[in-house]
Amino acid sequence: MRPAFAALVTATLSFQSVEAQETNLQPNHPYAGMWVTDDNRVRHELLPNGRYVEARGQRERAYEGRYEVDGTHIEYWDDTGFTADGDFVDANTLHHGGMILRRKPVTP
């Protein structure tokens, strides 16, 4: 097998393995949903499949990645490579990156 092709196959298989691992995450916690700062500038959606999408101002998908919740602590791994964490101080308040986010009620 030619080296360039072998590298491509290896990279593709590695990517698929990580992708499959992420889609199998099924966090069982009460914190999935939308979290927002009081000024609505930062909107942070924790999806039930272990992924998150964060909007900042007018940028609807400013950051995306995966997360894990352990008790009241949350760890984030952004798709661009940085990590972050936070803590749920009660059922409706998340402290993350120096910000306070509050659970946004689901509207019917």
Side-chain angles (χ1 to χ4, degrees):
M1 189 179 302
R2 292 184 4 211
F5 180 72
L8 177 61
V9 169
T10 302
T12 301
L13 292 175
S14 297
F15 176 75
Q16 288 173 346
S17 172
V18 169
E19 185 177 78
Q21 182 182 28
E22 287 181 3
T23 58
N24 289 335
L25 292 174
Q26 294 296 317
N28 186 17
H29 62 80
Y31 303 118
M34 183 66 74
W35 296 82
V36 299
T37 54
D38 288 341
D39 62 3
N40 205 41
R41 180 174 154 11
V42 177
R43 297 166 309 282
H44 202 152
E45 186 172 12
L46 301 178
L47 303 169
N49 66 353
R51 301 278 301 165
Y52 73 91
V53 178
E54 184 175 312
R56 297 252 177 160
Q58 298 300 314
R59 289 184 57 202
E60 287 302 319
R61 297 181 87 83
Y63 301 101
E64 297 181 65
R66 68 181 181 91
Y67 72 92
E68 290 180 15
V69 173
D70 183 12
T72 58
H73 186 76
I74 185 167
E75 293 280 340
Y76 302 90
W77 293 269
D78 190 79
D79 290 345
T80 62
F82 72 86
T83 61
D85 67 344
D87 292 289
F88 296 94
V89 296
D90 60 40
N92 295 305
T93 309
L94 167 61
H95 289 189
H96 163 69
M99 297 178 286
I100 297 173
L101 294 97
R102 302 189 195 285
R103 183 188 300 274
K104 183 175 181 179
V106 177
T107 55

